[in-house]
Amino acid sequence: MADDPLVIFTPSGKRGRVPVGTPVLEAARRLGVDLDSVCGGRGICSKCQVAPGKGAFPKHGLTVAEDALSPVNAVEERYDRIRGLKPGRRLGCQAQVQSDVVIDVPPESQLHRQVIRKSAAERVMAMDPAVRPFYVEVVEPDLDDPTGDFQRLSQALEDQWQIKGLRADLDVLSRIQPVLRKANWKVTALVWGDGRQPPQLIDLKPGLLETPLYGLAIDLGSTTIAGHLVALDDGRVLASSGLMNPQIRFGEDLMSRVSYSMMNAGGAAEMTLAVREGLAQLASALAGEAGITPSEIVEAVIVCNPVMHHLMLGIDPVELGQAPFAPATSDALVLRAAEIGLGIAPAARTYVLPIIAGHVGADCAAVVLSEQPQKAETPVLIVDVGTNAEIVLGDKTRVLACSSPTGPAFEGAQISSGQRAAPGAIERVRIDPDTKEPRFRIIGVDLWSDEDGFAEAAKATGITGICGSGIIEAVAEMRIAGLVDPSGLIGSAEQTGTARSVPEGRTHSYVLHDGTAEGGPRITVTQGDIRAIQLAKSALFAGARLLMDEFGIETLDRVVLAGAFGAHISPLHALVLGMIPDCAPDQVTSAGNAAGTGARIALCSRAARVEIEDQVRRITRIETAIAPRFQEHFVAANAIPHATDPFPELSRVVTLPQVGFNAGDGDRPRRRRR
């Protein structure tokens, strides 16, 4: 009615009239204002704190009286006495509207409050998790009304929180009665709801639950499984960890695992069991790191490529290994965590992002969710570097996606001295173009190998091998220093002018570090290592170039390297190697583990799930396996950096020597005049 008080909420600006005596929390709900509450208006959780304004507000055309809200009541006085309220704050569930008022909702009281993430990439993350706690007081049964306890709980949630159609799994039903009675019928219900399916009771806790809920965001890769334990009240990451995918023993790349399934009866089931054990192990490790039990984790979000997706779900991936590469399902999924042996709360749900295509998975969808190429003004190329690289090219007009089978070389596998990124692994390499002498850094030591104190600092880990970022820099530096020619051949000692080029059969190797005198390894870059990197980078480049062909562009203004591994790749060395099409080096940036970030976004926001499901339907898929020009681009990309593209942007910052080490070449390298 026109005579009712006008209530204006800031910062949302939402306004409306409510009857005198309406609690501020109720007014906020009526007007769609973001005001949190867990205890259902009982004045015990304090999450609905507000700051009422006083005096004139010319912008809004009203003056707020001193008594615009009801006086502080006994509940507020008690809360202030025991826990304390900031000056000027009121509890929204207790303060009642008496006249026109302007009410500010502080950030900590906003249900979907924004949190600045400062991990892999700074961003604003909206909190709108699928699992939320609801404090309820349940009516006790009696002989006149012996309705079931679950029905009483459901009715309480409907009456006090407007949650209708509650469902519960058997294991939760079996625990309801003892919890209700032990808690004197006052409990916190943990309810999962995505707004599209019936709400599910995940767990029941006695009394008012004051600790945050916990969720898992998992990037299930073919080589590694990375996970984050996330607090679902503000999105902060409480623990991060990773492990090797146990399926490695069945094959290092995806197609070898598909082949294992095809060639071995029960092979798919073996791999399913292995990956589920790995997921459960990761969940347990993350919980332990954060000091909680796995059963306290109430939801998980998983992103993965299509083969991992099928094997995790227990679906034979055989159809993904042959045209037309059709997945069993491509839609987003909601599963019981227990169905995939995740080992968290028994009734917890697991959300799996949608698959884009038969070889472009939910991990790529997560990258899109994280990096938002569909909002870019000019085309941006996003490359999630891994055993199976996902590549996205798009702007606000359209988005294209493909995958490219790079294999495990970028991860340090199939490299003679290669290893996983671990303390002691060489991760950075520089080679002096004149002396051909190397220097390097290892994981766990901040000093370079030619700096004072390095040898002492390295004793703790030793110098154990070379990881993915190290081999990329080593090959690129060898090309810059004239140790490797454009075809990828390593020159002899006579041709390169350094005794570090040593014969190995009919080819040569470059000695990066020789620790044999101290009982350590001899770390070399062999001709086989160069070939493995060439094959991997050629596949990556060819996939990116196919997308550029389809998009109708010849040059790139911006490239984003994603993936935990991509975060450690030097843009300059990636360009020298020819991993990506030519671009100004300062426009090649890292997004960190964008797939993992996308998983966290989906974990924290139901709206983000709807958004990515809609966006995936709009993405154009390019199938590299049947694209006519893929082989053409692949062959041209075998050269370092490229056989036909002069890479003009790269040439502005580095001059690559024009050398050739084929049979019949002279003893010394030939340099291109500039």
Side-chain angles (χ1 to χ4, degrees), residues 459-622:
K459 285 182 179 178
T461 62
I463 303 169
T464 55
I466 187 165
C467 66
S469 61
I471 191 64
I472 285 174
E473 290 198 2
V475 176
E477 284 287 319
M478 289 171 69
R479 179 72 183 89
I480 294 170
L483 295 164
V484 167
D485 69 12
S487 73
L489 279 175
I490 301 174
S492 65
E494 294 75 20
Q495 291 171 318
T496 60
T498 176
R500 286 185 175 271
S501 285
V502 296
E504 188 166 310
R506 299 179 62 183
T507 61
H508 295 85
S509 296
Y510 176 77
V511 180
L512 193 58
H513 168 72
D514 191 347
T516 53
E518 297 82 31
R522 187 171 189 253
I523 300 172
T524 63
V525 179
T526 69
Q527 190 64 66
D529 297 339
I530 301 282
R531 291 301 184 219
I533 291 296
Q534 282 179 288
L535 292 174
K537 74 98 174 182
S538 297
L540 191 61
F541 181 97
R545 200 63 185 81
L546 273 181
L547 296 189
M548 293 172 66
D549 291 346
E550 182 69 22
F551 213 91
I553 57 175
E554 290 296 322
T555 59
L556 291 169
D557 294 327
R558 188 160 68 95
V559 177
V560 177
L561 297 176
F565 171 59
H568 297 283
I569 299 175
S570 155
L572 178 64
H573 293 93
L575 286 164
V576 169
L577 197 58
M579 285 177 61
I580 53 176
D582 187 42
C583 181
D586 62 356
Q587 293 302 306
V588 181
T589 59
S590 169
N593 186 3
T597 300
R600 292 204 320 269
I601 292 171
L603 177 66
C604 293
S605 172
R606 297 179 299 175
R609 303 179 189 187
V610 175
E611 174 191 352
I612 193 57
E613 289 173 30
D614 178 65
Q615 182 58 37
V616 161
R617 287 189 283 269
R618 303 170 188 268
I619 293 175
T620 301
R621 298 86 160 168
I622 306 298

Side-chain angles (χ1 to χ4, degrees), residues 36 39 43-49 79 83-85 91 108-109:
D36 202 358
C39 69
I44 57 177
C45 76
S46 82
K47 294 184 178 295
C48 64
Q49 290 185 39
Y79 188 90
R83 297 191 180 182
L85 280 171
L91 295 181
E108 60 268 31
S109 297

